[in-house]
Structure formats: structure tokens, C-alpha cells
Amino acid sequence: MMQEQTHVAQGDEAQGAQKALTGELLFLLAGLAALGALATNIILPAFPDMAVALGTSVIDLSATFSSFFVAFAVGQLFVGPLSDRFGRRWLVLSGLAAFVAGSAICAFASTLPQLIGGRVVQALGVCATSVLSRAVARDLFDGEALARALSLIMVAMAAAPGFSPLLGGAINSWLGWQATFAFVGALAVGLAVHYNIRLGETHEADKRSAASVPAILGTYRQLMIDRRFIAPALAVSLVIGSLYAFFAMAPAILMAGFHFSPFGLGIFFASTVFVVFGAGFLAPRLAHRWGQARTARVGLVIALTGSIALLVGKEDFAFFCAALTVFLLGMGMVNPLGTAIALHPFGRQAGAASALLGFLQMGCAAIAISVGAMLDAPAYTSLGIILTSSLALAFAAFLALR
């Protein structure tokens, strides 16, 4: 049965749990995972002030996002295999150090190219923490414990984009836009100290794999053709891509269509976090009863139902909120469970598997946002089309796991 297959590592040595699943450890992993998402959206409220200070336009500042995402996507493809060969600790700490350096460059930037350069350095550093938070979880936990750990990690990654605009707006109002970079840099320092004291190295020397270029390419090729990985990984990536499309397209819907203020937009984004938070805690409990694969399928059906409702329903704020809540509930269920299913059979290649998963997620997000921008339709309709198409493809991909 499919459920049984997802709990058994076929052709790979399963790793037992090495650490107790404590709140402190989960908080540390969640912080490592969420740092990149936090650093991405926290500067949004400061864009007008940054544009004036740097002598540029708000539109031109969008380059700080595209450069960040490109560096983030490419960097993690190298971080994952390197951690499988040399261990997680030095890459996590080096990544956090690079992120702090990038944050300092951004804070002292006086021109847009300097700011973009700082964002690239930030991304190259923080991609390590995002990728390796999942790999470390795979090192330490197995089965239901892994699903619970990944649930909180996924909740943190989804919560950070929702809460960070409110936080960034407050910091910018009180201390100025440079302080937002100082804040995320200080957070990275705290995470580095805590990680070094609390965890250290989690990938044992006898479980490490080769790191030559042919070996890395071979590992990625094997993962891409292994249905145990690519089916759930592609499904999760399409779901995450649809979530990023929502974050990108919602401002036009809410501010232009429903006349939200910037502060109201921040409150709305923050409120969505509670739905994802609840779904993330619900998912492992349902998986304990029904199994990971069945629960993930249910989550996909729920998310697809919300997407279809958004596509065919009336353009009304109350209906928009209801349909979006259903979508977020399903998304919050399938994201951690699909990730756990994709990573479970690949303990020795957890770094490469997590890196490839992250690359697929960023790729699907970029495609979803680009297609949404190209559609000749109102933003409300375009969002419904993107969400419905992404979830339908995700459901089809996950069924291939059979």
C-alpha cells in the first residue's frame, strides 16, 4: 500500500531519531527555515523611504527581490550536496555569517547596485539555513517525529511572509529602513550561537557521501527520476508556488479591488498565518490516524476546492476570505507531509534532496508569478486560474507516487 511505502526507506538505510523532539529544538529549526522568508518581505513597507534615500524608484527596488530569489535558488543546489559530504555545521554557520555580512552591506548601502549586491550576499548565505533546516530535521528524526518537525518548519516558513511586513513597518517607522537589516542580522547572530551550542554537527562522518561534480550531478539525476522523491516534491513545489503567487497578486486585489490601506494589507497577511498555523499542527495528528500519504491527498483536495471556489465564485470580499481560508487550510496540511514523504527515503542524500526540493519550489513560484502577470484578466480571476491550475497539477503529480 502507498501509505506503507512512504514509511519504509527503500534501498536506503533509514536513520533513527537521535534527539528528543523538544520545543527548543523545533524553535531553532523553525528560525533557521524562516530567516530567508523574513528577510524577503520585511523591507516591503520601507520601499518608499529606501527609494528616496537611494535616489531611485520603488519599481526599480523590485530588483532586490529578483536578485535575491535567483541567488537563493542557485546557491542551495550547491549547499545541499556539500553538506552531505562535509557535514551541516560549518555550512550553517558560514551561511549565517554571510547573511550577517550581506545585511551590513544593505544597511550601509548608498546606491541601488550596492543594495542589490548586499541582497545577493544575503541570499547566498540564508539559502544554507533554509535547505539545511530540513536536512538537519531528517538527520535527527524519522517517521511521525519527522512529520511533526517539518510541520513546524513549514508553518514558520509560511508565517514569516505574513508577519514580516507588519514588523518591518514598525521598525521602519521607529528606527528607519536601515534598522530592518540590522534586525535580521542580529537575529542571524542569535541563531548561529544557539545552533552551535544546542546542535552542532548532525550528519555523522560515516553517513557522508562524495561531493565531486559528477557525483553531485548523478545524485540530482537519480532524485529527478526516482518517483518516491519527484512525485511528492513536485506536488509540494506547485503548492508553494501557488502560495507565493497569492502573496504577489493579493496586494492588487485587496488594495485596488477592495480599497485596503497598506496597514490593512499587513493585517490581512498576518491573519492568514493563523490558518496555516492551525493546519500545520493538525496535519501530523491526522497523519498519525490516516497515514501521511492519505492525509496529504486530503489536503490537496481541500486546497483544490478552495482554489476552484475562488475561480468560479463571485468577486466579493467575504467570499474571497472563505475560499482563501479553505485553500490555506489544505496547503498547510499537504506542505509538511509532502515534504516528509519526499525526504524520508533519502537519509544519506538529505542535503541534496532538500536542496533540489527548494530549487523546485522557487522555480514553481517564479513560473506561477510570471504566468499570473502575463494573463490578460483581472487580478482576482488570474489568481483563481493560477491557484486552480497549480493545485490540479499538484494532485496529479502526487497520484504518481502510487
Side-chain angles (χ1 to χ4, degrees), residues 116-129:
I116 292 174
R119 291 286 285 171
V120 169
V121 176
Q122 272 191 322
L124 291 175
V126 81
C127 72
T129 67

Side-chain angles (χ1 to χ4, degrees), residues 326-374:
V326 175
F327 162 75
L328 291 172
L329 177 63
M331 185 279 301
M333 291 173 60
V334 70
N335 192 15
L337 297 180
T339 301
I341 292 170
L343 297 183
H344 182 267
F346 305 99
R348 286 185 179 273
Q349 299 86 24
S354 180
L356 184 55
L357 176 61
F359 182 81
L360 290 172
Q361 289 176 352
M362 299 300 291
C364 287
I367 292 172
I369 293 172
S370 299
V371 172
M374 291 186 297

